Amino acid sequence: MKGLALAVLLVSPAAAEIPRVRLTMAEAESAARAHSLALRAAVEEGAGSADLADERFASLIPRVTLDGSYRYQTEVPNFSPVPGQPARPFGDHRSTSVGPTLSWTLWDQGSLYKTWRAQKARAASQDELRRLAERQATLGARLAYVQVQLAGEQMRELADALGLAEAQYKEIDNRFKAGAASRIDTLSSHQESLQRRKQLLQAQADLSASLRELLQLVGRADGVDLSRPLDARLSTAAPAALGEATALVELDGLDAPQPALSAAEAAPLDDGHPRVAAYARQAEAARLAASSLNAGRGPTIKLQGRASYDYPNGPALESVTQKSVGLTASLPLFEGRLTARAVSEQRHLAGAAENRRDLAAEELKRDWDTARSALGSLRSQQAVDEKSVAETEELARLIYLSYKAGRSNYLEVQSGNLRALEAKVQAARTRAQVLIQLSALANLAVQG
């Protein structure tokens, strides 16, 4: 796709440089829409429904066909126009007829017209489903992208925590060898280092899973080894515990501006959301179908005209150009309530679609209010997170200095480190939740 920066760069085989996966959120959205099989299916269904509407319209205009027939019979009746005279054949063994025929429904209480309009409404409903599939593809890409962002951010925080734990363990082990620290402190410090290493490996596995889902959505999952991905911001200081990375991930940060999401916070709820509009169109189609069927109870008048080249001309063994025009009228008298039941079915379907439309509107309003409330709370939580991160980092540093001075035990150091790590991870999760709620609002808001 033009402009798509997603790439797996195998630069200089001799240097065996680690492949890089580069992708912005806007590029992910565009690629997901282009790759979405559900969206492609909706497009095809919409095109087919539009073609069917054109087919229904064709029944409103005159139809011209070229008709031909050929017949051969072994016995030809004989006829004597004058008694006593020899009988003569009445016709010929073969008979042919070829020529154009025009047929047109002149009057049917508007049944064919309403059938066409009903199909146009169904086609409009399919178009709304296409729009809905497009929004769902965009939303899916945004949510998957945020999960990769969060996994990468957690990986960075855990890598920093592991680096701190290993540095503290090295210092405490040296103090133990010098007789200034206990074996308990040394073992406790090493256990903390091992725990952080385990958490970091799990974070790498989470990044791998999230990245696989994202690349599958954008259609770029093939040819990339995602067994040990690494956030590109760690590439120069990756912990040895992670081993050699198979791919470097370069995505927007959690704090990177996203104009499409930022605009959704101020946009109003879309009253014409395709999820609601699709049911509205379905209800309209069912009502028109009911009206069309009901019109079939009245008389129908059809016109037919024909010009043909015929042989023989009755008893005369000659060809003739025959022209004819005629009208036919029909009125159903008894059909066992067939039409009435069909009309009732369509009216019930219209009522069901209207109820689903109203339910969808209620659910969208509920989801809209929920997302806005959650976003407001998350904005407040972000301010708390910023203060908590700053204070827990300072507290962990001071506790460790106090431990080195002999005024605190190592259990307090572990507790301080853990609180600082949890505060950073929680801050990252809050930022990710903000993006998730903004994505939900963008999916429900009026599109710019």
Side-chain angles (χ1 to χ4, degrees), residues 32 40 59 168 188 207 215 225 261 275 285 312 329 334 353 383 415-416 444:
R40 292 184 190 181
S59 62
Q168 289 180 347
S188 297
L207 176 61
L215 294 185
D225 184 358
L261 298 185
R275 184 177 165 191
F334 178 76
S415 178
L444 301 174

Side-chain angles (χ1 to χ4, degrees), residues 4 22 34 52-53 56 61 90 109 122 132 163 169 194 196 210 272 284 311 355 364 374 378 385 396 401 438 446:
L4 183 63
R22 295 191 179 103
L52 185 56
R56 295 290 186 266
I61 60 179
F90 193 81
Q109 306 288 325
R122 293 189 189 97
L132 180 60
Y169 166 66
L194 292 177
R196 296 294 174 265
S210 300
E284 180 186 0
Y311 174 86
N355 286 322
L364 291 176
L378 289 168
D385 286 339
L401 291 176
L438 285 173
V446 174

